[in-house]
Amino acid sequence: MNRPAPLVVVGDSLLDRDLSGRAERLAPDAPVPVVGDVEHRTRPGGAALAACLAAADGRETTFVTALGDDEASHTVRELLKDRVHLVELPLRGSLSRKTRLMADGRPLLRVDEGDGRAAGPADRAEQALAGAGAVLVADYGRGTADVLRAALTARAARIPVVWDPHPAGGPPVPGTRLATPAAAEARRFAGEPAPGPARRHDHRDLLRQASADARTLLDTWGAASVAVTLGERGALLSRGGPPLLVPAPWRASGDCCGAGDSFAAAAAGRLADGDLVETAVREAVEAAARFVAGGGAHTVLRDAGTVPDGGDGAPGDARALVRRVRASGGTVVAAGGCFDLLHAGHVQLLQAARRAGDCLVVCVNSDASVRRRKGGGRPVVPAGDRVRVLEALDCVDAVVVFDEDTPERVLDELRPDIWAKGGDYALTDLPETALVESWGGQVVLLPYLDGRSSTRLAERAAGRPGAATRR
């Protein structure tokens, strides 16, 4: 397989922090929810998130951004270390920080702090752009794209430039290969009023408006193509003729914060590799769906610079499911594994596990975890796709992705009544046994369908001799 082409990402870094917990009552002194059991998680945001996502699959990524001497800037530097090649511009003021207060996986409020802006260009930044084969501009309106606009305009005449705009930022430079506004952003850039809360749009209205806005922006911006992202509905690509609708491959549920960055990074990567815009947009829609289904930014970046300063929890929907089952006196069952190539042995195990209780939560190794356990050629199927397949099984009620080699952390949070393993572990000392028993849970072995193995399936698909499956 050819190595992915290198990419230069230009844009404004943010520092994102989530305070996540449970809201089960109102405060006595005001009608506001009380959030308890709070976990603190910090990650790179804005263009820094886009750069990390571009680099997550092994793509050589240079990131041009403005950073200062404030605490948030130092944290972002640490988060980016060893992930991207960092080229800094000077920053005037303190780096922007976004803090979300989350309850049961849903945001309650957001606090924005910091007003720092890029203070000017730097020779190293312009040199990085001069040698770039493709560029992604993630413009969050803090000035990085503005101070490099002349250099970006020159490169857009020669190489693919993908521009992810923000209402606070400027327009893409002329000659941009692909602009990627969200539907609301496209409407604002096109000069259309944003819909009020009482104004509802069905799917046809959304497509009609997005198509009209894209045509307007093609003329206004001088871009070669505009892809209006439509959230869970996919994206609409316009190049001047009839638009191309690229539906999402499935409806992903979860935290969508950062999905636009995932879309733009994937599209820029494919254009850097020489793909057509239509191919890049299709791949970008799938990447954004995988991003959301796989747990969002914290899960994807846990192996790429996330700081778990209070511990990482399982997704909110799994926690909520466990609480509901427990509140009704039910039994929570959990099972785990890589589930790289789902086969009959997996299905039999999961069906048996579900029959052992009142709900089944499947704990799945992340891509990084599978690579550490199985080697560089694995997983064959990325985490987002594995989650999608598992969630389609009637016997599975929720799926949680974990990044460690073993699932103790997520088990400690979920605290299932039963931890189910296949009978092939009968002679194995499971490291999680003592943990499960510490809260009164039980580890059980379930019948295992002999001769089925993801590794054997992968070997057979690769045509390796002697890799026939035993019957």
Side-chain angles (χ1 to χ4, degrees):
M1 181 180 294
N2 293 331
R3 183 177 177 84
L7 182 68
V8 174
V9 178
V10 175
D12 309 296
S13 291
L14 310 175
L15 181 63
D16 286 353
R17 189 180 186 213
D18 284 352
L19 309 179
S20 304
R22 303 175 183 176
E24 298 174 338
R25 62 187 178 91
L26 295 178
D29 54 339
V32 295
V34 176
V35 180
D37 297 328
V38 175
E39 299 165 350
H40 301 254
R41 294 184 289 180
T42 302
R43 62 172 171 81
L49 172 60
C52 284
L53 292 173
D57 292 330
R59 185 179 300 276
E60 181 184 340
T61 303
T62 298
F63 180 35
V64 179
T65 191
L67 294 173
D69 195 31
D70 56 289
E71 182 179 353
S73 292
H74 290 306
T75 301
V76 168
R77 286 190 187 93
E78 185 65 24
L79 292 166
L80 296 175
K81 186 173 64 177
D82 300 326
R83 304 299 173 183
V84 299
H85 175 56
L86 185 61
V87 176
E88 294 189 26
L89 300 174
L91 179 74
R92 182 183 299 111
S94 59
L95 193 73
S96 296
R97 305 176 301 284
K98 297 190 304 179
T99 302
R100 295 191 304 170
L101 180 61
M102 311 280 288
D104 298 316
R106 294 183 174 85
L108 289 180
L109 62 86
R110 194 182 92 183
V111 178
D112 289 2
E113 304 172 277
D115 57 357
R117 292 187 61 86
D123 291 342
R124 288 183 61 224
E126 295 187 352
Q127 290 169 5
L129 286 174
V135 176
L136 165 61
V137 180
D139 183 8
Y140 278 78
R142 272 77 169 181
T144 300
D146 294 335
V147 300
L148 293 171
R149 181 164 287 270
L152 290 167
T153 300
R155 296 309 292 157
R158 297 174 174 82
I159 62 171
V161 171
V162 175
W163 197 290
D164 191 18
H166 188 282
V173 297
T176 291
R177 183 76 56 88
L178 175 66
T180 62
E185 294 167 343
R187 182 167 300 174
R188 180 176 297 185
F189 286 125
E192 295 289 338
R199 184 180 173 189
R200 299 183 62 86
H201 293 266
D202 63 20
H203 189 40
R204 290 172 299 175
D205 291 334
L206 179 66
L207 295 180
R208 188 180 301 111
Q209 185 67 61
S211 179
D213 293 341
R215 288 196 301 271
T216 298
L217 295 178
L218 282 172
D219 295 336
T220 303
W221 287 343
S225 55
V226 173
V228 179
T229 58
L230 308 173
E232 63 184 15
R233 297 185 183 277
L236 189 78
L237 173 64
S238 178
R239 306 189 71 179
L244 173 68
L245 176 63
V246 183
W250 64 89
R251 181 165 293 188
S253 61
D255 185 3
C256 63
C257 181
D261 298 295
S262 175
F263 179 95
R270 295 311 296 257
L271 291 179
D273 292 339
D275 287 329
L276 297 174
V277 170
E278 290 82 359
T279 302
V281 171
R282 287 198 300 269
E283 294 293 332
V285 167
E286 292 194 9
R290 289 195 301 269
F291 173 87
V292 175
H298 287 295
T299 298
V300 172
L301 294 183
R302 195 172 293 133
D303 190 52
T306 299
V307 174
D309 49 51
D312 290 305
D317 54 352
R319 290 199 300 262
L321 168 69
V322 169
R323 288 199 301 273
R324 288 196 304 270
V325 172
R326 286 222 172 91
S328 63
T331 298
V332 177
V333 183
C338 299
F339 300 100
D340 191 7
L341 294 173
L342 197 69
H343 53 69
H346 291 142
V347 174
Q348 176 174 293
L349 171 68
L350 296 175
Q351 289 173 333
R354 181 61 177 83
R355 290 193 294 268
D358 298 289
C359 75
L360 173 61
V361 180
V362 180
C363 305
V364 178
N365 296 73
S366 71
D367 291 347
S369 177
V370 176
R371 281 194 294 271
R372 291 194 299 269
R373 293 188 59 187
K374 304 287 187 178
R378 302 284 293 276
V380 176
V381 179
D385 287 0
R386 288 184 279 133
V387 168
R388 180 188 179 191
V389 171
L390 287 166
E391 288 180 333
L393 298 177
D394 290 340
C395 57
V396 175
D397 297 288
V399 181
V400 174
V401 178
F402 65 92
D403 192 59
E404 299 79 11
D405 292 339
T406 56
E408 281 97 332
R409 178 191 59 80
V410 70
L411 285 176
D412 189 42
E413 173 151 357
L414 296 174
R415 301 203 164 199
D417 303 295
I418 296 174
W419 174 238
K421 300 294 290 186
D424 55 330
Y425 283 88
L427 301 178
T428 303
D429 291 329
L430 297 174
E432 56 267 31
T433 298
L435 177 66
V436 173
E437 292 178 348
S438 71
W439 58 74
Q442 184 177 3
V443 176
V444 302
L445 300 179
L446 297 173
Y448 181 75
L449 195 59
D450 189 33
R452 274 67 172 184
S453 162
S454 293
T455 299
R456 291 194 185 108
L457 286 174
E459 290 173 347
R460 290 186 68 195
R464 297 178 185 174
T469 301
R470 288 188 291 122
R471 291 288 181 186

